[in-house]
Amino acid sequence: MALIVETGAIVSGANSYVSLADTRTYASARGVTLSAVDATLEPMVIKAMDFVESHSAQFIGERVQRDQPLSWPRVGAVVERWEWASTEIPRQLINATLATVVEVAAGTDPFNPPSAALPTIKERVEGAVDLAYAAPRGGDFKVSKDRDALVQLRMLLRNSGLFAVRA
């Protein structure tokens, strides 16, 4: 299946925000080698687009047309205090898609990323209880940074993807 890239013109049948050439350029600039076989890379790009599109209900602004194939372009989208025209695809969306492709190519499922590998300590008190701690008490552990894709994607979400729960 060939990629059909959304350019902001509401392209019929669009199934991606990025081209294979842009994907390879992005990955190469970050020292990542992707498959040279288009048929291998295309499903990764589609999976990345699926992940980005899974946030569509939270995107800022509104779709330009009710039946457009993807969530962007949008009307009323203001990103980092700049308004994006209804014929533009924000660079943050493109970068989020590209970063997700790199994650997918590395074997990470963007919908179910691996949890941080924290060491576990178990203690047993005979006849009473078993205790397990997610991180060692008094020990150092590395806190992983946010995934690059999510950093870019949050800029496109209402309230940065945060919400309030009132009881």
Side-chain angles (χ1 to χ4, degrees), residues 47-126:
K47 186 170 190 171
M49 184 276 309
D50 288 342
F51 174 72
V52 169
E53 284 289 295
S54 73
H55 295 83
S56 64
Q58 296 174 296
F59 285 143
I60 55 177
E62 303 296 328
R63 291 173 183 247
V64 174
Q65 294 178 6
R66 180 182 68 184
D67 296 326
Q68 66 191 60
L70 298 176
S71 296
W72 291 83
R74 296 176 82 80
V75 175
V78 177
V79 181
E80 296 178 327
R81 297 183 298 181
W82 294 94
E83 186 170 353
W84 288 80
S86 63
T87 57
E88 294 179 296
I89 304 297
R91 66 176 164 71
Q92 293 88 346
L93 183 71
I94 292 168
N95 288 338
T97 306
L98 293 168
T100 304
V101 173
V102 170
E103 291 174 10
V104 169
T108 300
D109 178 358
F111 293 99
N112 298 298
S115 59
L118 296 176
T120 303
I121 288 186
K122 291 184 180 183
E123 295 179 17
R124 181 173 177 82
V125 178
E126 277 305 318

Side-chain angles (χ1 to χ4, degrees), residues 137-157:
R137 290 184 276 175
D140 293 332
F141 61 93
K142 182 179 179 184
V143 177
S144 63
K145 70 177 186 74
D146 274 345
R147 296 172 24 215
D148 292 338
L150 292 178
V151 171
Q152 294 291 322
L153 199 53
R154 281 191 193 113
M155 291 184 228
L156 304 169
L157 303 179

